[in-house]
mmCIF file of all heavy atoms in Angstrom:
data_model
loop_
_atom_site.group_PDB
_atom_site.id
_atom_site.type_symbol
_atom_site.label_atom_id
_atom_site.label_comp_id
_atom_site.label_asym_id
_atom_site.label_seq_id
_atom_site.Cartn_x
_atom_site.Cartn_y
_atom_site.Cartn_z
ATOM 1 N N THR A 2 -18.351 9.080 -18.042
ATOM 2 C CA THR A 2 -18.368 7.692 -18.472
ATOM 3 C C THR A 2 -17.090 6.984 -18.078
ATOM 4 O O THR A 2 -16.077 7.612 -17.777
ATOM 5 C CB THR A 2 -18.538 7.607 -19.988
ATOM 6 O OG1 THR A 2 -17.366 8.147 -20.616
ATOM 7 C CG2 THR A 2 -19.768 8.364 -20.459
ATOM 8 N N SER A 3 -17.148 5.648 -18.121
ATOM 9 C CA SER A 3 -15.966 4.850 -17.786
ATOM 10 C C SER A 3 -14.815 5.160 -18.731
ATOM 11 O O SER A 3 -13.662 5.273 -18.301
ATOM 12 C CB SER A 3 -16.319 3.364 -17.842
ATOM 13 O OG SER A 3 -15.189 2.566 -17.617
ATOM 14 N N MET A 4 -15.107 5.325 -20.028
ATOM 15 C CA MET A 4 -14.043 5.604 -20.991
ATOM 16 C C MET A 4 -13.428 6.970 -20.752
ATOM 17 O O MET A 4 -12.213 7.142 -20.847
ATOM 18 C CB MET A 4 -14.600 5.510 -22.420
ATOM 19 C CG MET A 4 -15.035 4.106 -22.814
ATOM 20 S SD MET A 4 -13.690 2.885 -22.676
ATOM 21 C CE MET A 4 -12.570 3.494 -23.943
ATOM 22 N N SER A 5 -14.253 7.970 -20.424
ATOM 23 C CA SER A 5 -13.719 9.305 -20.132
ATOM 24 C C SER A 5 -12.847 9.269 -18.891
ATOM 25 O O SER A 5 -11.770 9.875 -18.848
ATOM 26 C CB SER A 5 -14.875 10.293 -19.934
ATOM 27 O OG SER A 5 -15.634 10.430 -21.114
ATOM 28 N N ARG A 6 -13.308 8.543 -17.847
ATOM 29 C CA ARG A 6 -12.510 8.445 -16.631
ATOM 30 C C ARG A 6 -11.198 7.727 -16.910
ATOM 31 O O ARG A 6 -10.158 8.080 -16.347
ATOM 32 C CB ARG A 6 -13.299 7.710 -15.541
ATOM 33 C CG ARG A 6 -12.593 7.725 -14.184
ATOM 34 C CD ARG A 6 -13.424 7.085 -13.095
ATOM 35 N NE ARG A 6 -14.619 7.870 -12.839
ATOM 36 C CZ ARG A 6 -15.839 7.428 -13.058
ATOM 37 N NH1 ARG A 6 -16.043 6.208 -13.527
ATOM 38 N NH2 ARG A 6 -16.890 8.186 -12.803
ATOM 39 N N ALA A 7 -11.228 6.738 -17.800
ATOM 40 C CA ALA A 7 -10.000 6.028 -18.160
ATOM 41 C C ALA A 7 -9.012 6.969 -18.822
ATOM 42 O O ALA A 7 -7.806 6.922 -18.542
ATOM 43 C CB ALA A 7 -10.327 4.850 -19.082
ATOM 44 N N ARG A 8 -9.490 7.849 -19.708
ATOM 45 C CA ARG A 8 -8.587 8.790 -20.378
ATOM 46 C C ARG A 8 -7.956 9.753 -19.382
ATOM 47 O O ARG A 8 -6.750 10.022 -19.431
ATOM 48 C CB ARG A 8 -9.349 9.558 -21.459
ATOM 49 C CG ARG A 8 -9.648 8.748 -22.714
ATOM 50 C CD ARG A 8 -10.086 9.644 -23.849
ATOM 51 N NE ARG A 8 -11.367 10.289 -23.561
ATOM 52 C CZ ARG A 8 -12.541 9.774 -23.864
ATOM 53 N NH1 ARG A 8 -12.610 8.591 -24.475
ATOM 54 N NH2 ARG A 8 -13.662 10.422 -23.583
ATOM 55 N N VAL A 9 -8.782 10.280 -18.462
ATOM 56 C CA VAL A 9 -8.245 11.195 -17.453
ATOM 57 C C VAL A 9 -7.239 10.477 -16.563
ATOM 58 O O VAL A 9 -6.170 11.010 -16.242
ATOM 59 C CB VAL A 9 -9.392 11.791 -16.606
ATOM 60 C CG1 VAL A 9 -8.832 12.610 -15.449
ATOM 61 C CG2 VAL A 9 -10.298 12.653 -17.479
ATOM 62 N N ALA A 10 -7.565 9.253 -16.158
ATOM 63 C CA ALA A 10 -6.662 8.493 -15.292
ATOM 64 C C ALA A 10 -5.332 8.238 -15.981
ATOM 65 O O ALA A 10 -4.267 8.328 -15.362
ATOM 66 C CB ALA A 10 -7.317 7.170 -14.895
ATOM 67 N N ARG A 11 -5.384 7.907 -17.281
ATOM 68 C CA ARG A 11 -4.136 7.692 -18.022
ATOM 69 C C ARG A 11 -3.290 8.955 -18.046
ATOM 70 O O ARG A 11 -2.068 8.902 -17.890
ATOM 71 C CB ARG A 11 -4.441 7.254 -19.457
ATOM 72 C CG ARG A 11 -4.717 5.763 -19.625
ATOM 73 C CD ARG A 11 -4.590 5.341 -21.087
ATOM 74 N NE ARG A 11 -5.517 6.069 -21.939
ATOM 75 C CZ ARG A 11 -6.731 5.639 -22.272
ATOM 76 N NH1 ARG A 11 -7.167 4.482 -21.790
ATOM 77 N NH2 ARG A 11 -7.510 6.347 -23.060
ATOM 78 N N ARG A 12 -3.927 10.108 -18.237
ATOM 79 C CA ARG A 12 -3.184 11.371 -18.271
ATOM 80 C C ARG A 12 -2.527 11.652 -16.926
ATOM 81 O O ARG A 12 -1.367 12.069 -16.854
ATOM 82 C CB ARG A 12 -4.121 12.512 -18.647
ATOM 83 C CG ARG A 12 -4.585 12.511 -20.100
ATOM 84 C CD ARG A 12 -5.658 13.566 -20.319
ATOM 85 N NE ARG A 12 -5.217 14.876 -19.901
ATOM 86 C CZ ARG A 12 -6.013 15.825 -19.413
ATOM 87 N NH1 ARG A 12 -7.309 15.572 -19.238
ATOM 88 N NH2 ARG A 12 -5.532 17.007 -19.080
ATOM 89 N N ILE A 13 -3.283 11.440 -15.849
ATOM 90 C CA ILE A 13 -2.731 11.687 -14.517
ATOM 91 C C ILE A 13 -1.572 10.746 -14.232
ATOM 92 O O ILE A 13 -0.506 11.164 -13.757
ATOM 93 C CB ILE A 13 -3.827 11.526 -13.445
ATOM 94 C CG1 ILE A 13 -4.901 12.607 -13.616
ATOM 95 C CG2 ILE A 13 -3.229 11.590 -12.037
ATOM 96 C CD1 ILE A 13 -6.114 12.403 -12.737
ATOM 97 N N ALA A 14 -1.767 9.446 -14.516
ATOM 98 C CA ALA A 14 -0.716 8.467 -14.255
ATOM 99 C C ALA A 14 0.516 8.746 -15.098
ATOM 100 O O ALA A 14 1.654 8.611 -14.629
ATOM 101 C CB ALA A 14 -1.232 7.058 -14.524
#
Side-chain angles (χ1 to χ4, degrees):
T2 67
S3 176
M4 294 302 295
S5 297
R6 187 176 294 116
R8 285 194 294 271
V9 173
R11 277 197 301 267
R12 289 172 55 211
I13 295 171

